[in-house]
């Protein structure tokens, strides 16, 4: 669509990409071959992500290799070799075991990007427990819902977050057995404990118990359009996808220094911010600080980052910064740039090529898929604006619901729902406690993603939009229902409808339309109070940024708020089919 393809000349690449011929790689690919490349637990005791990521390297030639370099927001640096990571994560596993936390028990984390979070993730997996990260910008309400729904037994957090968000929830969460504070010198009570104190006396060797590849390993919450957040269940077998995408998409080579800017509160920050680079035995950079254009370029320069995985919102913020990256910084180590999470505008792909000297490789996946599914690859042509082509081992299609077996294939260049042939290793195995919702995601052997897409005649996939009302703001998924439910708790609110309104940098902003109860007036003071109420309950990542008052909301005859219509009216677009509108 007006954008020329970007072709690569592999001859000038500093290292030879793992995949050079897409068709041949796909044809020769099998998940069983990948399984054979992984170590498996000693003595045939199964497959455990933490063993593949840490212990097998620590027991071999990579013991002293730098696994993680943590950059503190105030300038501190902490390095962890594979040997260090193995020891410290074992200590955490010993702490859990000592507290009676069993295989399958859920261990939640609520923290920024601090080293303890990474040790807790790996230690939890070693203990055979299930790691469930929460985004630290969530407010108390999203945190409570997830801890409750996920049956959280343990929560790892900081003193500050505990005091601000958790202490007030404790008596509503009876199954939450222990809170472990990463920065408390002393225990606060019998159940709110100092993690440093426990770690100091915990054993630094730990034998991972037998782990079945199908045992639950990770629980990632994602938002739905209706109902409360869904807990997507992932198993240890997912490490096959992490390994494969590390090889073919991120193109990891042994000397790579990789920086994934995603927060581990979301699936990208776990699958690629923790697991995939470690499984490949390379070095990861972790930056504690929030986005800052100059800081980011300095990190790329000083840490000699070779492979960089970031997100469209960040790329767009870099595009806006008054910095000439290649004149002001030495980015010569950088070899590959990838992006995920929202549509990446073709301008951004080309900006990368012109301004950073490297195009940005878009890829697509979601919480439910556990790993990258559709991608642009190092050696292959990029069609700016396209998500790329399916990973070897993944069959993708554009389908329509209906027809035989529940779906029929859409034609070339026709819009439809993006579907993946079910059964890849990192496919989610369920929504926790919601079998019905899980079942509804599948038809005719396909997993239906909820995204609309198009496939061109050469097999490149193009993102069209969401098939539902989910909002993506700064790369974070927000379920309108969650926001509406909280706004409705405010005494003056009778009804709330929440939509995403396009915004050039962060993709969409959360906007709420409110109908007030009789006797209340939609004043500016009330509007500001509601915005404050939303923030205090939901946190800055989820709360609406804009609120307007309306006399009525468009609803179906069965009383469901028609967010689609709210959006069309907000954007001045045609209202489409309004036959189900209450007053139509
Ligand atoms: P999450 O489950 O929070 O990772 O969000 C997944 C959703 O983000 C997908 O279903 C898409 O709607 C969107 N998304 C992810 N990657 C891309 C991409 N490369 N282009 C467009 N949308 C994307």
């Amino acid at each position: 669509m007006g954008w020329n393809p970007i072709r690569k000349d592999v001859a000038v690449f500093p290292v030879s990409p793992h995949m050079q011929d897409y068709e041949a790689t796909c044809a020769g690919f099998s998940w069983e071959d990948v399984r054979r490349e992984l170590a498996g637990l000693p003595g045939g005791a199964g497959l455990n992500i933490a063993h593949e990521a840490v212990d097998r390297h620590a027991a071999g030639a990579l013991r002293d290799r730098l696994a993680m370099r943590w950059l503190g927001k105030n300038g501190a640096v902490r390095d962890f070799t594979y040997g260090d990571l193995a020891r410290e994560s074992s200590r955490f596993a010993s702490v859990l075991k000592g507290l009676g936390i069993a295989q399958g028990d859920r261990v939640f984390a609520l923290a920024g990007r601090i080293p303890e979070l990474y040790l807790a993730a790996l230690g939890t997996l070693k203990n055979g427990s299930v790691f469930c990260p929460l985004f630290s910008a969530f407010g108390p309400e999203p945190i409570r819902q997830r801890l409750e729904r996920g049956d959280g037994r343990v929560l790892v957090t900081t003193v500050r977050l505990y005091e601000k968000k958790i202490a007030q929830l404790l008596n509503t969460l009876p199954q939450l057995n222990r809170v472990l504070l990463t920065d408390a010198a002393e225990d606060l009570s019998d159940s709110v404990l100092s993690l440093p104190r426990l770690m100091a006396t915990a054993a630094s060797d730990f034998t991972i118990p037998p782990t079945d590849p199908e045992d639950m390993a990770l629980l990632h919450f994602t938002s739905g359009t209706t109902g409360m957040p869904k807990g997507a269940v992932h198993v240890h077998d997912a490490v096959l996808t992490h390994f494969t995408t590390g090889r073919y998409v991120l193109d990891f080579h042994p000397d790579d220094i990789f920086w994934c800017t995603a927060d581990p509160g979301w699936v990208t920050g776990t699958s690629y911010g923790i697991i995939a680079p470690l499984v490949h035995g390379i070095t990861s950079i972790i930056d504690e600080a929030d986005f800052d254009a100059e800081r980011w370029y300095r990190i790329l320069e000083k840490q000699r980052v070779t492979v960089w995985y970031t997100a469209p919102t960040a790329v767009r913020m870099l595009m806006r910064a008054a910095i000439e990256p290649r004149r002001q910084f030495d980015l010569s180590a950088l070899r590959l740039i990838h992006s995920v999470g929202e549509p990446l505008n073709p301008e951004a792909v080309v900006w990368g090529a012109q301004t950073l000297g490297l195009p940005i490789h878009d890829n697509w996946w979601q919480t439910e898929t556990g790993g990258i599914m559709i991608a642009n690859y190092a050696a292959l042509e990029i069609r700016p604006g396209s998500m790329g082509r399916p990973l070897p081992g993944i069959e993708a299609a554009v389908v329509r619901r209906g027809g035989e077996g529940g779906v029929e294939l859409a034609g070339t260049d026709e819009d439809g729902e993006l579907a993946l042939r079910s059964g890849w290793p990192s496919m989610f195995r369920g929504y926790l406690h919601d079998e019905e919702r899980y079942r509804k995601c599948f038809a005719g052997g396909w997993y239906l993603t909820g995204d609309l897409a198009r496939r061109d005649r050469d097999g490149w996939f193009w993102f069209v939009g969401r098939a539902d009302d989910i909002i993506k703001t700064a790369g974070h998924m927000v379920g309108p229902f969650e926001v509406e439910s909280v706004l409705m708790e405010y005494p003056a609110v009778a009804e709330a409808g929440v939509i995403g309104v396009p915004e050039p940098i962060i993709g969409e902003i959360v906007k709420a339309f409110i109908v007030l109860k009789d006797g209340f007036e939609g004043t500016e003071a009330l509007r500001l109070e509601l915005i404050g109420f939303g923030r205090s309950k939901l946190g800055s990542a989820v709360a609406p940024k804009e609120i307007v008052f309306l006399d009525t909301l468009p609803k179906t005859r069965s009383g469901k708020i028609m967010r689609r219509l709210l959006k069309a009216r907000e954007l001045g677009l045609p209202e489409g089919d309004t036959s189900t509108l209450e007053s139509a």
Side-chain angles (χ1 to χ4, degrees), residues 351-509:
W351 172 84
Q354 289 170 350
T355 314
L356 303 174
L358 295 167
I360 297 168
H361 293 73
D362 188 18
N363 57 64
W364 177 95
W365 60 293
Q366 55 181 196
T367 305
E368 286 84 347
T369 71
I372 300 167
M373 296 282 109
I374 296 180
N376 286 284
Y377 303 89
L380 303 189
E381 166 190 324
I382 296 180
R383 300 185 175 181
S386 160
M387 304 186 286
R389 305 176 78 181
L391 182 76
I394 296 297
E395 187 184 348
V398 176
V399 305
R400 280 197 218 94
R401 296 191 189 220
E404 213 166 299
V407 293
E408 55 192 31
L409 294 181
T412 297
D413 283 329
E414 275 179 14
D415 290 1
E417 187 164 354
L418 180 61
L420 305 168
R421 175 73 66 194
S422 76
W424 68 96
S426 65
M427 186 179 89
F428 69 134
R429 299 298 197 269
Y431 287 129
L432 198 69
H433 307 315
D434 206 342
E435 185 54 35
E436 171 72 7
R437 232 168 165 187
Y438 183 65
R439 217 173 31 77
K440 279 192 182 150
C441 296
F442 297 87
W446 296 96
Y447 161 63
L448 302 167
T449 65
D451 278 354
L452 301 176
R454 209 172 340 113
R455 181 181 178 278
D456 70 21
R457 70 186 149 133
D458 303 318
W460 265 261
F461 283 77
W462 301 75
F463 183 78
V464 172
R466 291 278 317 177
D468 55 25
D469 298 329
I470 295 280
I471 301 162
K472 263 277 164 130
T473 177
H476 305 142
M477 194 98 138
V478 173
F481 183 76
E482 260 184 278
V483 181
E484 290 160 3
S485 307
V486 162
L487 292 174
M488 301 270 293
E489 287 174 21
Y490 192 82
V493 174
E495 286 174 336
V498 169
I499 60 168
V501 176
E503 199 275 350
I505 304 290
I506 63 168
E508 288 184 304
I509 59 161

